[in-house]
Amino acid sequence: AVRAVLEQYVAAYNSLDASAAGAIWPAVNQSALQRAFGQLESQTLRFERCNVSVGNTGGRATCSGQAAWVPRIGGRDPKRERRTWHFELAQNEGEWIITRAEARR
């Protein structure tokens, strides 16, 4: 179930859909995220490996992979970076949600 939430996170970011991100990460600032997405022509996140640990009430995941994006303004050359994502998750009414997410280069 946690891996499914991580897949939904990737899908939301790949489709530049802030409301889809908010559905699995209720605390995200959807307005700020939508503004950030508005500056992109496209984006592709790819998790190559995720280490997940789950307890009774919460979980953590660390995923490594790559982010690629094309800015809407300026140079239209695709940009690529290796990144590591850190997630904290919790169960909310039986469903897993992201409570915190951070990406680092």
Side-chain angles (χ1 to χ4, degrees):
V2 169
R3 290 190 189 279
V5 170
L6 298 175
E7 290 171 10
Q8 291 172 345
Y9 175 91
V10 169
Y13 275 67
N14 287 351
S15 62
L16 305 176
D17 187 342
S19 63
I24 54 160
W25 183 9
V28 72
N29 182 334
Q30 287 188 45
S31 298
L33 188 58
Q34 191 59 51
R35 281 192 302 277
F37 285 165
Q39 295 180 22
L40 300 176
E41 186 69 35
S42 65
Q43 177 171 249
T44 303
L45 302 185
R46 189 177 84 232
F47 291 170
E48 295 163 354
R49 181 178 33 174
C50 291
N51 295 320
V52 176
S53 62
V54 176
N56 289 336
T57 59
R60 293 180 183 262
T62 299
C63 300
S64 59
Q66 189 174 101
W69 67 97
V70 176
R72 197 174 283 279
I73 298 172
R76 308 221 359 135
D77 294 328
K79 315 286 187 219
R80 286 187 175 75
E81 284 182 353
R82 298 222 32 93
R83 291 190 181 164
T84 301
W85 290 263
H86 299 280
F87 298 95
E88 292 181 11
L89 302 104
Q91 284 194 339
N92 182 27
E93 299 179 9
E95 298 290 323
W96 285 97
I97 59 167
I98 296 169
T99 56
R100 188 170 145 320
E102 180 180 293
R104 293 187 183 176
R105 296 180 213 189

